[in-house]
Amino acid sequence: METPSSSTYSVDATALRAWPLPMPSGDGDKEARGHVLILGGSREMPGAVILAATAALRAGAGKLTIATGASVAQLVALALPEARVIGLAETDQGGFTEAAVGKLDPLADKVNAILIGPGMQDEEATAVLVRALLPRLDGSDVSVVLDACAMGIVLDESFRFSVPVILTPHAGEMAHLTGATKEAVSAAPDEHAAQAARDWNAVVVLKGARTVIIAPAGERWQHEGGNVGLGTSGSGDTLAGIIAGLAARGAALPQAACWGVALHARAGEELAERFGVLGYLAREIPEHIPALMESFARP
């Protein structure tokens, strides 16, 4: 799908049908569908990593590994019997110690995508961990998605990703990361997302009623849809998980982001039809994803 930097492409059903997701062959096994690693969770928020990991599997990833705090690893393993769960040493503030890098390093050559951030609370420790992990992934084919406090690595003004990654901020998070006000970001999302994409060398998914997706070279997409019910606790974790699952299957970063945003929004629309606009739960979003992928793929 060619996207000149001077144009903004709308992400709708027609566009998605023209941009099909990678599909394994009929005799492909779970390895062919991709291995996703979800790094996140904490004592106070183990559910976030469960939501993200469930969404990654619903998006079609074949293998799942979760790395989370040792204090909640058994709980997470019981909630997700499909996953391998690794317990990591924790900081008092809800992050992971630098010792986590040693436990994760052997996975660098075995996974296709990694999502870092859901449910992590110690922004400083998370930035240290991400900074230590990224060089191990450079030069590999691993797609990296950063969500929640893992995006805090860009607070260092001199920081720039050597290889593009996906970042998934909402307006408030973008304000925190850039020093702008939330009102300024909301008033000019394209401008702020484009500047961040260039400065950070990242595919920026600036979430909102109109979500803007901008790649480092300036390619732009937008999605309008969903409803206010998606603004609920855990919804962002599910979106990040969907994107990571699609990337694990082999979707390029912009494609994984665009498809993920569209699937997440349409799932919210279906849930609103079932329950009403307010009151459906983030945990209910992933179950809609497989059928929606099939629906978007059909002419």
Side-chain angles (χ1 to χ4, degrees):
M1 184 175 183
E2 297 297 327
T3 53
S5 59
S6 60
S7 301
T8 298
Y9 283 78
S10 292
V11 179
D12 55 22
T14 300
L16 295 178
R17 280 194 292 272
W19 202 6
L21 291 168
M23 288 292 292
S25 65
D27 59 355
D29 60 12
K30 61 186 178 183
E31 302 288 346
R33 290 171 50 186
H35 185 174
V36 61
L37 168 63
I38 313 289
L39 172 56
S42 59
R43 291 184 187 91
E44 295 183 8
M45 294 194 292
V49 77
I50 295 171
L51 290 170
T54 302
L57 287 179
R58 291 294 192 182
K63 291 183 70 173
L64 169 65
T65 298
I66 299 171
T68 190
S71 64
V72 296
Q74 186 174 17
L75 179 156
V76 172
L78 289 170
L80 277 164
E82 299 88 353
R84 174 191 177 190
V85 180
I86 300 169
L88 303 175
E90 299 162 273
T91 67
D92 293 338
Q93 291 74 36
F96 304 128
T97 70
E98 289 187 66
V101 176
K103 295 195 74 170
L104 296 173
D105 186 74
L107 290 170
D109 298 320
K110 298 178 181 178
V111 300
N112 303 99
I114 177 170
L115 165 61
I116 309 173
M120 296 170 75
Q121 296 179 286
D122 186 339
E123 188 173 59
E124 183 177 349
T126 300
V128 171
L129 179 61
V130 174
R131 190 179 288 275
L133 279 174
L134 288 177
R136 181 64 179 86
L137 301 173
D138 287 352
S140 71
D141 293 325
V142 179
S143 298
V144 178
V145 183
L146 301 182
D147 183 51
C149 76
M151 295 186 291
I153 190 172
V154 302
L155 288 169
D156 179 347
E157 292 184 4
S158 64
F159 183 82
R160 192 174 196 275
F161 296 101
S162 59
V163 176
V165 306
I166 294 177
L167 274 71
T168 59
H170 53 60
E173 290 169 325
M174 181 65 92
H176 170 63
L177 296 172
T178 62
T181 65
K182 181 178 179 181
E183 292 73 21
V185 173
S186 297
D190 299 71
E191 176 184 333
H192 287 273
Q195 186 67 51
R198 288 193 299 270
D199 289 349
W200 301 335
N201 191 31
V203 175
V204 174
V205 181
L206 183 50
K207 300 178 290 190
R210 172 177 170 268
T211 293
V212 178
I213 303 110
I214 302 187
E219 302 98 326
R220 300 180 180 212
W221 299 263
Q222 64 178 1
H223 181 273
E224 296 182 85
N227 52 62
V228 69
L230 286 168
T232 188
S233 181
S235 180
D237 302 315
T238 64
L239 172 58
I242 294 166
I243 293 172
L246 296 175
R249 289 175 51 184
L253 298 185
Q255 184 184 30
C258 290
W259 267 85
V261 167
L263 290 166
H264 181 260
R266 182 57 189 144
E269 292 170 356
E270 290 190 349
L271 284 163
E273 293 168 3
R274 179 179 169 194
F275 292 110
V277 172
L278 296 182
Y280 60 83
L281 306 176
R283 76 183 71 163
E284 294 161 336
I285 294 171
E287 66 187 54
H288 288 252
I289 301 306
L292 285 171
M293 288 191 295
E294 295 283 343
S295 175
F296 281 147
R298 288 196 294 268

